[in-house]
Amino acid sequence: MNTKIFKGIFGSMLGLMLTFIATSCYELDTEPLAETEVTSASVFEDPAAYKQFLAKLYAGLAVSGQDGPAGEPDISGIDEGFSQFLRGYWMAQELLTDEAIVSWNDQTIKNFHYQQWTSTDVFITALYYRVFYQIPLANEFLRETTDAKLDARGVEGSLREDIQMFRAEARFLRALSYWHGIDLFGDIPFVTEENEVGSGLPEQKSREFVFNFIEEELLAIESQLAEPGENEYGRADKAAAWALLAKLYLNAEVYTGDARYTDCITYCNKIFDAGYSLSDNYQHLFLADNHTQTNEIIFPIVFDGNNTQSYGGTTYIIAAGTSSAWTNVDEVFGTGSHWAGNRTTKALVEKFPGDGSDAREMFYTDGHDLEIDDVADFTQGYGIMKFKNVTQAGTPGSDETFMDTDFPVFRLADIYLMYAEAVLRGGDGGSVGQAVDYINLIRERAYGDQSGNIGQTDLTLDFIIDERARELYWEGHRRTDLIRFDRFSQSDYVWPWKGGVKEGRSTNPKYDLYPIPADDLGANPTLVQNPGY
Amino acid sequence: MKGVQNDNRFVDWGVIGNAITFDPTQSPYRDDDRFNGYFTWMSGENANTVAVPNPLSQLYDRSDESTAKRAIGNLQLDYKFHFLPELRANLNLGFDYSDSEGTVIVEDETNFSYTALDRSSGQYNEYSQQKKNELIDFYLNYVKEIDAINSRLDLMAGFSEQHFYREDWNRETSYDRTEVYSDEPAYETENNLRSFFGRLNYSLLDRYLLTFTLRQDGTSRFHEDTRWGTFPSAAFAWRIVNEPFMSGSENISDLKLRLGYGITGQQNINQGNYPYLPRYTYSSSTARYGFGGEFYTTLRPEGYNKDLKWEETTTYNLGLDYGFFNNRLSGSIDAYYRETKDLLNFIPVAAGTNLTNQLLTNVGNLENRGIEFSITGRPVSTSDVSWELGFNATYSETEVTKLSLGYDPNYVGVFTGGISGGTGNTIQIHSVGYAPNTFYAYEQVYDQEGNPIDGLYADRNGDGQITGDDRYQYKKPAPDWYMGLNSKLKYKNFDFSFSARANIGNYVYNNVYSSYGFTSNIWVNNFLSNVVDNALESNFTDARYLSDYYVKNASFLRMDNISLGYTFDSLGSFGLTGSDISARVYGTVQNAFVITNYEGLDPEVDDGIDSNVYPRPRVFMVGVNVNF
């Protein structure tokens, strides 16, 4: 073999190939072609992008993805409808309590009420990752709006000022999600804007550490947020931060072992001083036009039948809690969506007088039994008629399938009850007399007169936990409340089907915390599981 | 160049499930014209929207038709160099364009699209898809016989580029097209591949054959630092039969030993074309968020993985080809071992580290090993009778050997295998130490007569309660054995042939039984449903979707094809050349029969989940072939 020829062949091959490479048609550096997809390098060339990104931080609480009602999910591994934040949070706060029980056969959904869930539960996994969807999203927002980045992009003037408030709201939303995280899961992974996307495994921090972080953050942004009621409806303001601080302090003993009831009262008082007042009509807080109730609702998750669609949120709360077998159900609830899943146990029913004197007693009883022998039968257990997709005038919401009704995350009646509880638990800065007055405002609205009013001796912790059920049932507070009163697991308080038996029974105290999902233990070997799982 | 146009008509497959569950005692029609005259379950004055829709109405009140056009073209240039005739250049240019447009029309007032508040709920939906694939391929080939050393050298080097483009669009309007429900811009996407490759074939004395290949592939789907993969392979074959020492063994007509080793790469991902790229997506108009009564389109940063790289599979192969008695008996035996690493898996991310919860990641290893055996015999071969009988068998086993970064002993794996019934239920899992897609179910408890006890599962972890932790890995959808048998018999002008196939050790989850086979489903929410007769056997009152009772052995033998023919020779001569005219008359049955213990419609279910299977037709064919 002649090496010259060999070289010649390779030479000409190489030459030809180089010619082709030089003229090659198809680059490997491709960029998205679709109008709906843009690279992170170019997206902020549009000044509107900042508010659109902020809208996503809020929308992360309301929809399940970028295509409503479903199609481009934010998180996967679960049916998209179930993956919506509020739906997951509602299930994790309500379905395992006396307030709600579900008839469906979806995966492990009945294990909520039976208090028998495990670390592989898809609903718990989805909720956990929803919390840890919101947090990195807020972190990304904070990374993209630093002074250095805004300088580099030449962002100035009023937009730059607006972005400073957006940043404070992003930090509020991150604090809210961290609160969900420690309340549900205890010690959790901790990431801030310092943790870039795809960087190393996050460290697990104690509940106390994250508690302190939430507190510091809320105190730090307080001055940067809009005055109470001054921001656009739907966006967080100072009162939202105060309400979250009050929640945090009320539950501090559970989270850290240190009582903070005085601080709770301080922040309740700030809200009272901001001029909020109860709505005249309890029902109006849960209707298609409840965005008008800003005198009482401090922070909502905003829904709209045409523009904010998902199979979660208030669509889920209303549809899953109604049945097409009910009388005039479409007209009464303003929707044709009825999934016949959630109803309540007699433990909630029996907290009301039962004579119709309390307007908050909104049960559907026709064709329903009070007792539940078969959990899978929706007609066993009373239905709940609290949330509806009709306006105060009785007209249906804008869409027949998806609801307009907003979800009140924080509202004044809750703050009144928190104040009273903090006073009873020994907090300073308030008085029992004042607490009784506040409670009676709630009671007078419920009864329409003073017949349901209480006196100072009636105001006990036992009263508070029951009154919280009466006032706030199906609003996503129940699990946290019962745990604070030591009535969730074990035997101090049982209700039908707690523990998986009809009469209810004691359960293991490990269920006061949800497990860290197996998915994350697999992905992050540094994590330590909660005790008992 | 080739152009094809296809007109298609599609049916909503959900009709099959609804036909199974629709109350069989009802007339399909109403007395009046409401709901276009089809029987509908009512809730007062309104249709009961959760009831089983009328399947007849679904067939007749909905049309889905599309037209697909496709053009395929190819240009190949082959050039021999005059100064060096052993050298050849080859350029291949190709394209494959397709364009399809379709319309889904749902009549107004149908019971299956009825909603209580907006009764006129028909739809007129248009959709289109455009695909453009292009290919450039160039190589140089050098072949040289070197007689002095009894060798042959074959060298090849080249490169290729491929481009894949897709555009999807749809628009939804009301039946009369006056109201637009959804009209988003078309979604376009593309990806490109570029490869460089070289091959060396060397053969010595026509007995020793060596092949080396090396290719480098680049994909636009990965980051520039990781987008190139290098994939070598080597193979050696020894034609033992050509060795001088074999010259005495006349009964051995072929004997060849093969050894192979190679690495291949995969980048075919199901997660879009830009999984490595930080990017943002705008929401649709129905996923906006309201601030102060104004709705804002939202911007979502997408999860991404900039470290994505090629998934690599290494294969080792040892094979023997044999032939005896003038190849009257021939076949081959192969053993292989395959190891895939850096699997492109869609798995959970560590919470907090990315902008979504599951991400395409190079995590996980898979092992696959097997033996293939084939034998073909020609027991009779005379001028009147000839018979050829072939049999092949493959044993294969696959095991997931790594799945995640962590080593948590409690980590069971990645759920998969969505079923119908309930929402979001899954019946399969990828777990370390098991085959992919292994069924993951509760262990059904049976009574002394062997009947399943409704709702009673084994407490496998012994904690006194039945929780998700009591599910276990049970059987797998992939068969252990694949076998095939085919026969061709000719007697004079008659010919008779058949081919049969068997899979052994494959299991199927009978989702038709699990979702329609329990008695509490007969009357729910004020309508009657049919249940399948398995409910009488299981006696289940409630849904027991995740019981291993429904995981059934679906081993089968299928007669794919039986054919009988007769050939008429010399029916005359044809045309100027005077070529003979002959004709063969034949009858064929495709999918003639299946032998199986599986009770569902068909034991051959791709993913092992038998739900809404469209029945496989049995085809009888009679025909004449005329040759001239």
Side-chain angles (χ1 to χ4, degrees), chain A residues 13 20 24 26-27 36-38 66 68 72 74 76 106-107 129 198 233 302 307-309 324-325 330 400 522, chain B residues 43 115-116 118 134 140 159 161 187 192 280 282 284 286 288-289 292 300 349 353 356-357 406 422-425 526:
Chain A
M13 277 186 180
F20 267 93
S24 94
Y26 307 118
E27 291 300 320
T36 53
E37 249 179 332
V38 273
Q66 290 308 79
E72 296 286 332
D74 296 329
S76 43
D106 303 319
Q107 295 166 281
Y129 275 106
Y233 176 75
V302 180
N307 299 294
T308 315
Q309 297 181 346
S324 53
D330 296 340
E400 70 210 26
Chain B
S43 166
T115 50
D118 176 14
E134 287 133 16
L140 291 169
F159 87 101
E161 284 190 357
Y187 182 78
N192 297 330
Y280 283 69
Y282 289 100
S284 71
T286 49
R288 294 184 291 173
Y289 197 74
R300 172 174 80 184
V349 300
T353 60
T356 184
N357 68 323
T423 304
N425 285 318
N526 292 324

Side-chain angles (χ1 to χ4, degrees), chain A residues 445-518:
Chain A
R445 173 171 70 181
Y447 282 80
D449 54 33
Q450 299 190 344
S451 63
N453 283 16
I454 60 164
Q456 290 206 6
T457 52
D458 300 320
L459 188 67
T460 62
L461 284 174
D462 284 345
F463 173 84
I464 294 276
I465 185 65
D466 285 352
E467 186 68 11
R468 287 189 68 82
R470 287 184 287 263
E471 177 68 23
L472 298 166
Y473 67 93
W474 281 37
E475 291 183 55
H477 300 287
R478 193 59 172 166
R479 171 187 159 277
T480 304
D481 289 345
L482 287 174
I483 288 172
R484 191 170 65 251
F485 282 82
D486 283 326
R487 296 185 190 193
F488 176 66
S489 61
Q490 300 181 274
S491 58
D492 280 358
Y493 177 41
V494 295
W495 53 86
W497 292 100
K498 176 178 170 179
V501 297
K502 190 192 168 196
E503 303 74 30
R505 65 175 170 186
S506 177
T507 56
N508 192 315
K510 74 176 185 181
Y511 294 112
D512 286 349
L513 279 180
Y514 284 107
I516 303 289

Side-chain angles (χ1 to χ4, degrees), chain A residues 10-21, chain B residues 81 89 138 140 159:
Chain A
F10 274 112
S12 52
M13 277 186 180
L14 209 66
L16 263 160
M17 276 166 57
L18 286 173
T19 318
F20 267 93
I21 295 162
Chain B
F81 292 84
F138 175 79
L140 291 169
F159 87 101

Side-chain angles (χ1 to χ4, degrees), chain A residues 433-449:
Chain A
Q434 185 63 61
V436 168
D437 288 348
Y438 285 147
I439 298 288
N440 281 337
L441 289 175
I442 295 172
R443 303 279 293 178
E444 279 171 36
R445 173 171 70 181
Y447 282 80
D449 54 33

Side-chain angles (χ1 to χ4, degrees), chain B residues 248-261:
Chain B
S249 349
E250 280 165 12
N251 284 337
I252 301 178
S253 39
D254 187 16
L255 197 60
K256 183 176 169 187
L257 182 72
R258 290 177 279 107
L259 285 170
Y261 159 84

Side-chain angles (χ1 to χ4, degrees), chain A residues 264-373:
Chain A
C264 177
I265 292 167
T266 305
Y267 282 89
C268 290
N269 279 329
K270 285 198 177 206
I271 293 168
F272 304 146
D273 293 343
Y276 286 93
S277 64
L278 290 185
S279 295
D280 298 339
N281 187 319
Y282 180 75
Q283 174 72 94
H284 291 174
L285 293 163
F286 313 104
L287 296 182
D289 52 358
N290 62 349
H291 59 273
T292 57
Q293 307 298 300
T294 50
N295 52 311
E296 174 161 353
I297 296 175
I298 296 164
F299 181 64
I301 300 175
V302 180
F303 293 94
D304 185 83
N306 286 318
N307 299 294
T308 315
Q309 297 181 346
S310 82
Y311 292 105
T314 50
T315 293
Y316 160 76
I317 294 172
I318 295 170
T322 56
S323 160
S324 53
W326 289 6
T327 312
N328 292 330
V329 65
D330 296 340
E331 287 73 18
V332 172
F333 287 86
T335 175
S337 300
H338 311 293
W339 310 339
N342 301 330
R343 71 283 191 198
T344 193
T345 73
K346 69 174 178 185
L348 176 68
V349 176
E350 288 169 352
K351 289 183 172 54
F352 286 95
D355 53 11
S357 55
D358 187 335
R360 300 169 299 184
E361 188 180 340
M362 304 165 125
F363 300 119
Y364 188 94
T365 58
D366 197 15
H368 279 244
D369 301 321
L370 180 61
E371 295 286 341
I372 300 170
D373 290 315

Side-chain angles (χ1 to χ4, degrees), chain A residues 112-143:
Chain A
F112 275 116
H113 200 90
Y114 299 162
Q115 296 189 20
Q116 288 179 353
W117 54 80
T118 69
S119 65
T120 54
D121 189 287
V122 288
F123 303 106
I124 295 169
T125 304
L127 177 58
Y128 176 85
Y129 275 106
R130 258 294 165 195
V131 170
F132 282 99
Y133 177 75
Q134 291 292 107
I135 290 167
L137 208 64
N139 288 338
E140 180 78 1
F141 186 89
L142 295 172
R143 272 194 298 271

